[in-house]
Amino acid sequence: MSKRLGKETVSGTPAKQSKHWSIGLLESMRDPECIVKQTKKIVVIRDKYPKAKIHYLMLPHENISSIHKLNSTHIDLLKEFNKIYEEIKIENEDHSLKAGFHAVPSMQRLHMHIISKDMVSPCLKTKMHWNSFTTDFFINYEDILKELKETGSIKKISPDLHKKLLATPLQCNQCSFKPKNMPDLKDHLMSHMNV
DNA sequence: GTTCTAGAAC
DNA sequence: GTTCTAGAAC
């Protein structure tokens, strides 16, 4: 008898994964428990694994899989993104928020992160988590809109740059402190909380 | 995207 | 010996 059955069935044959993890957002945006606000064009949900005190995702109802499927016809949609983001900023005046997209998204359906700058959360665990919000891997809303207006599409980054950005040495997003490791960073972030 | 855990780093 | 990171997951 094995100590752990893992994903194997009783018979010992590997269990097939029925739903791939990358469609998780498509399920969340239909779940009333996750929805924060909604319009004809977009829906805002709570991130299932928030990386800061406030962490929302804004997605279009239209089936756009990622930033790389955007074209000039989507500029109005992005303006709606900004309009709703401005509302959310007013509703969360006590937090400093930023809005943007990951350069290489993992989940299906275009999604804009709306995240507070504290970055205090038990779900923030890895250097990759940190760098995906604090380096150029995080593309600000304004930069996406600008590139779309100027070139009509969003360019993909090279695998080398992707790797380099996520491997950037840890650096506090609020001061010059360079943490030794993730626990060090998380302790340090707490020190920025007291106003 | 997360979970799990081997082995590197301390 | 314990903490921490990084790569596989069918």
Side-chain angles (χ1 to χ4, degrees):
Chain A
M1 203 60 176
S2 63
K3 281 171 244 168
R4 293 181 69 258
L5 287 174
K7 282 176 182 169
E8 293 188 356
T9 60
V10 180
S11 66
T13 46
K16 196 81 179 180
Q17 203 172 16
S18 57
K19 285 175 184 171
H20 195 263
W21 54 263
S22 72
I23 64 159
L25 294 183
L26 301 177
E27 293 173 339
S28 293
M29 64 189 290
R30 308 291 170 205
D31 180 358
E33 299 274 308
C34 299
I35 296 171
V36 174
K37 64 165 62 189
Q38 199 164 7
T39 69
K40 208 169 178 179
K41 290 182 180 176
I42 64 96
V43 57
V44 179
I45 62 174
R46 267 178 282 275
D47 193 292
K48 196 174 173 186
Y49 299 92
K51 305 303 188 294
K53 296 271 185 193
I54 307 253
H55 189 182
Y56 299 139
L57 300 177
M58 189 182 296
L59 313 91
H61 290 300
E62 186 181 344
N63 184 11
I64 303 166
S65 61
S66 80
I67 48 172
H68 303 113
K69 293 283 159 46
L70 289 170
N71 61 53
S72 308
T73 70
H74 298 119
I75 288 171
D76 281 350
L77 175 66
L78 282 187
K79 296 230 170 111
E80 169 99 351
F81 268 47
N82 192 48
K83 185 186 148 205
I84 306 302
Y85 172 50
E86 291 295 334
E87 288 180 19
I88 292 171
K89 273 202 285 193
I90 291 165
E91 292 161 9
N92 295 277
E93 265 177 343
D94 48 335
H95 290 86
S96 183
L97 303 182
K98 64 175 188 173
F101 301 79
H102 281 158
V104 183
S106 325
M107 306 290 276
Q108 286 182 46
R109 185 58 57 93
L110 175 73
H111 56 282
M112 181 172 79
H113 293 270
I114 295 169
I115 186 163
S116 56
K117 290 175 185 173
D118 52 86
M119 300 299 280
V120 169
S121 166
C123 299
L124 180 77
K125 293 175 179 176
T126 69
K127 178 190 265 191
M128 194 200 80
H129 288 154
W130 179 255
N131 283 336
S132 73
F133 290 101
T134 60
T135 68
D136 288 343
F137 192 85
F138 189 86
I139 309 174
N140 288 311
Y141 166 82
E142 289 80 9
D143 294 329
I144 289 288
L145 183 62
K146 184 165 181 269
E147 185 174 352
L148 200 57
K149 279 179 173 172
E150 288 177 358
T151 72
S153 67
I154 305 299
K155 222 183 212 169
K156 289 192 181 184
I157 65 169
S158 71
D160 276 1
L161 181 58
H162 177 184
K163 197 174 165 184
K164 185 189 147 197
L165 288 172
L166 294 182
T168 303
L170 295 176
Q171 167 68 62
C172 177
N173 63 334
Q174 294 158 75
C175 75
S176 60
F177 182 66
K178 296 183 194 328
K180 286 185 285 291
N181 53 37
M182 286 303 294
D184 192 20
L185 169 61
K186 288 171 71 70
D187 282 349
H188 172 78
L189 289 171
M190 292 298 292
S191 74
H192 283 296
M193 288 300 292
N194 300 326
V195 181

